[in-house]
């Protein structure tokens, strides 16, 4: 399956409010096809050199820059929101510990467990959204690299290298902060919400039931997150056509749940 169709599937699997924030790959591809098509005789200059395509080429470059600006604007907006939400979640955890924890001002095992359960769910959903944003970065970078490769191949131009060098410095490509927040969420879940052996046994039974429900429904933030993880793994997977324009390989933890979803993901950059 071609990248354009796979990208369309990825957009459909993203959060609804994100779907118009992805790269306009189809519009860029149309312009590349227009630029690389044979010019009509009326568009030839008196000296015989083709004039057709120059306006379209300028439009293509302009659209590229506008798309990069769009990606940056959305990514930075989400990143700022995630930083605020992460801080708020940490404060909520601390308030529950201070109020209802064993050494809190008003110890209450029932209130503590109920509120921590709600917070844990919020953190898991928050973690999933951040993974989706990392996937957003990966998918759009892949689309830019592919359309630039197509442009150079069809027109004989040399846009790919300078544009990719620019893209590598763009906010939407820089996911260090989001990666840090993702790891902090995982640490919080692994420490603050660490269960006793008895609770773990009960939780394992609950998880098995939840997994069946997830497989049956195939919807929600969890499914979107799984799709994002598979997409990032596929995009970053090395192959015989792997190049310096490709993203580095991504190693995902073993899971018997992730492979249970037969999801499509973009092909790697050749």
């Amino acid at each position: 399956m071609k990248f354009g169709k796979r990208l369309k599937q990825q957009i459909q699997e993203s959060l609804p409010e994100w779907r118009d924030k992805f790269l306009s790959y189809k519009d860029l591809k149309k312009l590349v096809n227009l630029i690389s098509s044979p010019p009509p005789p009326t568009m030839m200059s008196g000296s015989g050199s083709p004039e057709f395509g120059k306006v379209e080429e300028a439009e293509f470059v302009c659209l590229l820059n506008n798309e990069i600006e769009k990606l940056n604007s959305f990514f930075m907006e989400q990143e700022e929101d995630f930083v605020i939400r992460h801080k708020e979640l940490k404060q909520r955890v601390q308030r529950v510990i201070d109020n209802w924890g064993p050494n809190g001002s008003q110890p209450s095992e029932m209130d503590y467990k109920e509120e921590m359960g709600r917070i844990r769910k919020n953190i898991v959903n928050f973690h999933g959204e951040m993974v989706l944003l990392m996937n957003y970065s990966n998918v759009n970078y892949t689309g830019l690299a592919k359309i630039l490769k197509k442009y150079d191949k069809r027109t004989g131009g040399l846009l790919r290298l300078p544009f990719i060098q620019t893209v590598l410095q763009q906010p939407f490509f820089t996911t260090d902060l989001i990666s840090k927040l993702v790891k902090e969420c995982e640490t919080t879940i692994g420490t603050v919400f660490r269960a006793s052996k008895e609770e773990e046994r009960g939780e394992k039974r609950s998880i098995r039931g939840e997994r069946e429900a997830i497989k049956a429904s195939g919807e929600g933030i969890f499914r979107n997150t799984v799709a994002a993880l598979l997409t990032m793994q596929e995009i970053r997977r090395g192959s015989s056509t792997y190049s310096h324009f490709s993203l580095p390989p991504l190693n995902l933890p073993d899971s018997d749940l992730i492979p249970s979803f037969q999801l499509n993901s973009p092909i790697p950059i050749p």
Side-chain angles (χ1 to χ4, degrees):
M1 185 182 294
K2 293 184 177 181
F3 176 79
K5 291 183 179 180
R6 290 185 180 272
L7 174 61
K8 184 178 179 180
Q9 288 182 347
Q10 286 299 304
I11 293 174
Q12 291 173 343
E13 290 172 348
S14 70
L15 298 176
E17 61 270 25
W18 290 22
R19 290 174 185 167
D20 62 343
K21 309 301 182 183
F22 283 78
L23 181 73
S24 300
Y25 185 82
K26 187 176 181 180
D27 293 340
L28 289 165
K29 185 178 178 181
K30 284 181 180 178
L31 275 177
V32 171
N33 291 336
L34 181 62
I35 295 169
S36 59
S37 61
T42 55
M43 296 300 293
M44 300 291 289
S45 68
S47 61
S49 61
E51 296 293 331
F52 180 74
K54 288 186 177 181
V55 173
E56 289 77 9
E57 181 174 335
E59 185 180 351
F60 175 75
V61 173
C62 181
L63 181 55
L64 268 180
N65 287 324
N66 288 340
E67 287 297 295
I68 291 174
E69 183 178 344
K70 177 181 74 176
L71 300 178
N72 283 337
S73 177
F74 177 73
F75 186 89
M76 288 189 294
E77 179 182 332
Q78 293 301 310
E79 189 177 57
E80 181 179 355
D81 178 61
F82 288 163
V83 169
I84 295 171
R85 288 169 62 187
H86 179 256
K87 183 178 179 180
E88 290 175 345
L89 284 168
K90 288 174 64 177
Q91 291 173 342
R92 283 179 62 191
V93 169
Q94 193 59 50
R95 280 198 300 269
V96 172
I97 293 174
D98 292 342
N99 291 335
W100 298 318
N103 300 316
S105 58
Q106 299 175 346
S108 172
E109 184 177 358
M110 183 179 69
D111 290 337
Y112 180 86
K113 285 186 175 181
E114 286 183 359
E115 186 60 24
M116 279 301 196
R118 284 191 285 267
I119 295 175
R120 180 176 183 174
K121 182 178 180 180
N122 292 155
I123 291 177
V124 170
N125 287 337
F126 177 54
H127 177 277
E129 288 183 48
M130 290 192 292
V131 171
L132 292 179
L133 188 63
M134 293 174 67
N135 178 60
Y136 173 87
S137 172
N138 284 197
V139 168
N140 286 298
Y141 169 83
T142 303
L144 284 168
K146 281 186 169 293
I147 200 65
L148 285 164
K149 179 185 178 183
K150 186 181 294 289
Y151 174 88
D152 283 3
K153 183 178 180 180
R154 293 282 188 87
T155 67
L158 298 171
L159 281 182
R160 191 185 191 195
L161 181 58
F163 257 93
I164 289 298
Q165 289 176 335
T166 299
V167 168
L168 295 179
Q169 307 301 319
Q170 298 302 311
F172 89 87
F173 184 78
T174 310
T175 59
D176 293 348
L177 177 56
I178 298 299
S179 297
K180 179 183 176 183
L181 295 179
V182 166
K183 290 179 181 178
E184 288 185 9
C185 279
E186 292 168 354
T187 299
T188 299
I189 292 173
T191 55
V192 177
F193 300 100
R194 182 177 297 165
S196 66
K197 291 183 179 180
E198 291 75 15
E199 289 174 326
E200 285 178 355
R201 282 194 289 269
E203 186 173 337
K204 285 179 181 178
R205 289 192 295 270
S206 176
I207 287 174
R208 283 195 292 269
E210 288 174 1
R211 286 180 174 178
E212 293 305 318
I214 290 168
K215 292 177 185 179
S217 66
E219 297 177 354
I221 189 70
F222 187 88
R223 183 182 184 280
N224 291 337
T225 304
V226 171
L229 287 169
L230 290 174
T231 298
M232 288 190 287
Q233 186 180 50
E234 183 68 21
I235 288 175
R236 292 168 176 261
R237 182 179 298 154
S239 69
S240 59
T241 56
Y242 193 81
S243 76
H244 61 282
F245 291 107
S246 301
L247 292 162
L250 176 71
N251 296 317
L252 297 181
D254 293 333
S255 169
D256 61 345
L257 180 59
I258 290 179
S260 69
F261 290 94
Q262 299 300 318
L263 300 171
N264 295 311
S265 55
I267 55 178
I269 305 172

